[in-house]
Amino acid sequence: MTKAFYSIHAHGFVRAAVCTPAVLPGDPGFNAAETLRLARDGDAQGCDLMLFPELGLSAYAIDDLFLQDALLKRVEAEVAALAEASKTLKSVLIVGAPVVCEGRLYNGAIAISRGRILGVTPKSFLPNYREYYEKRWFAPGVGVTGLTIDFAGQQVPFGTDLVFQADDLADFIFHLEVCEDFWAPLPPSTAGAMAGALILCNLSASNIVVGKADDREVLCASQSMRCQAAYLYSAAGPGESTTDLAWDGQASIHELGRRLAQTERFPTGSQMAVADIDVGRLRLERMRTPTFNDGAVAAGRPETTFRRVRFAHRPHMDDVGLIRPLDRFPFVPDDPARLDRDCYEAFNIQVQGLMKRIQSTKAKHIVIGVSGGLDSTHALIVAAKAFDAVGLPRENILGFTLPGFATSDGTKANAWALMNGLGITGAEIDIQPTARLMLQEIGHPFADGEPVYDITFENVQAGLRTDYLFRLANQRNGFVLGTGDLSELALGWCTYGVGDQMSHYNVNGGVAKTLIQHLIRWVVKTRQFDDAADATLLSILGTEISPELVPADATGAIQSTQAKVGPYELQDFNLFHITRFGLAPSKVAFLAWHAWRDVAQGHWPENFPDEARNAYDLATIKKWLGVFLFRFFEISQFKRSAMPNGPKVISGGALSPRGDWRAPSDGTARVWLDELDANVP
């Protein structure tokens, strides 16, 4: 697959376009020509699926002209011509037209692919209230199933029981409904989704009135979320009759509740919006959500009553880029308002979790190791707020700085400044004498003056720090507050048992390293503490991430966590996509390459420092993804299987065996590493 690595089709994407062509009321020739012009534009952009508005070939607002035989025959002729023209197009076209079946006129959605009319789905629900009068002209599609009609020179499946599936592009499965259908209490697309469709398409006319655009947005987002699908929507635009109505051409693509693309409203000419839909992710999301399957069972298993119309799509394997919003930091939104909201919620989830543990244990104190690094800093400010909320004095927070052989003056000074600034009870215990004694008694070369800084050397210090904290908690009638974060747990970057992996309660276990930095910035921005504390927090944000267990080398360079396990910004990206959605490593690498290859492309979180904006080539991405896969799947699960209690904070972001993630401690990473090696160049 390495040759196809750069193709969206190799990674489970379908490129879709929602279109609002200019129309002339009652002029099928003009309307079909404009539809074909947009179709060719979309084909040139590599679109797999293109959605056009309701009754777009005739125009929607033509009233009794729908009952004119000359118009209906011309529409049918234009559909035949459009099907013929589609033989040279890669895109599946979905167009709207009046269609006759058994002497009744239906408001039809027509799917066309490479010269073939795949099927016609009639509109189920006809609006006949306020400005709408559709029952004057059309028959409702409700209950119309199992039929085949002669239309535009072809034998065509007809009914509301159609789902369309490409034989040669995995998960390219779509369903059609028309306008009013998704305003109904039970939209037809709900059954279509339960029958297997991953892309739900709505051909709409939908005149505009003040406030209606927001209603459409809510419906599209909620239907895509509820059905765990992509929802494509296209409303009529320029050229429709304004005798009594107006049209804004709103068109959008949503996936799992998130808008991927939208057109400009009130255009003066034809337009379209394009996005790549992750149908592979949608399939995986349904697999991991049993409620979706239960809904299908409760609905009588729609997959047994729908007809599956299959077609050969003949997907290309070209590099056409990737057109969709893609977060460099999946745990940190780019949008400032959403980031502010997420930080507010995450911080208060942590505070609430700790409050309950304080109340349930009736503890008067908590004990926390304060290193001057990001994680312990954040845990400490959460503790300060929790103590405020339960009415306990901050003096009852017992903070200990525990300097070892490599503790820097800067981090220790920050630790003391933070403890003093927050008004907690601070103390210092130098672990070096005890560590030297232990190293001597176990016969470690360091005790004899040799500069041997191996895992044992590191873990003696990490274990002693935790041992001290637990004994201090016994002595002071309190419990140990853990500080290790989600990213460290994923990578196994923690010392098991009597080490930083263990505590009585850990507020950070569900928070990724990349988010913790922004949580601290949010605490400063929202003035949770005073100026002195804020200044210390900002100083800590600029500190190199290091366990400070190994002395600096001859050049003065300190031990760097990210030099060992990889950049946390990449590893958090890998963590999110592998654990939240179960994506294959090659797809994660493809997404990371698009997200991280160019500093100038895409968005960065608010106030993200320019000097911290990094780019990574594919070789670097592959290297660190391999490290992640090995550490996550093969050598670290036993640490997560015994992790302490702590609140889940982020969707899909918990590794507790009592929560999101269950896995064998003696597993292997072979399958994931083989997939990475085979499919990423």
Side-chain angles (χ1 to χ4, degrees), residues 442-490:
I442 66 174
H444 192 277
F446 179 82
D448 295 326
E450 296 183 39
V452 177
Y453 308 126
D454 56 10
I455 294 295
T456 303
F457 176 80
E458 295 185 43
N459 283 352
V460 162
Q461 296 172 79
L464 278 175
R465 284 172 175 153
T466 304
D467 202 356
Y468 270 115
L469 294 175
F470 270 92
R471 303 297 76 79
L472 288 162
N474 295 154
Q475 184 186 46
R476 312 292 172 88
N477 187 29
F479 63 85
V480 177
L481 184 65
T483 62
D485 63 51
L486 178 71
S487 309
E488 293 175 340
L489 284 165

Side-chain angles (χ1 to χ4, degrees), residues 281 327 329-331 570-583 588 628 650-653:
R281 182 178 78 140
D327 294 327
F329 300 93
F331 299 113
L570 278 185
Q571 300 299 33
D572 279 358
F573 188 96
N574 298 331
L575 168 66
F576 176 83
H577 290 286
I578 286 171
T579 61
R580 175 64 182 84
F581 294 109
L583 303 187
V588 177
F628 178 89
I650 311 164
S651 175

Side-chain angles (χ1 to χ4, degrees), residues 555-612:
T555 69
I558 66 169
Q559 183 183 19
S560 171
T561 297
Q562 296 185 97
K564 178 73 172 179
V565 300
Y568 274 116
E569 55 196 12
L570 278 185
Q571 300 299 33
D572 279 358
F573 188 96
N574 298 331
L575 168 66
F576 176 83
H577 290 286
I578 286 171
T579 61
R580 175 64 182 84
F581 294 109
L583 303 187
S586 59
K587 184 169 183 174
V588 177
F590 176 79
L591 292 172
W593 181 66
H594 277 283
W596 285 99
R597 61 179 173 167
D598 187 347
V599 169
Q601 296 297 315
H603 300 287
W604 292 86
E606 185 182 31
N607 298 324
F608 198 88
D610 289 343
E611 63 275 12

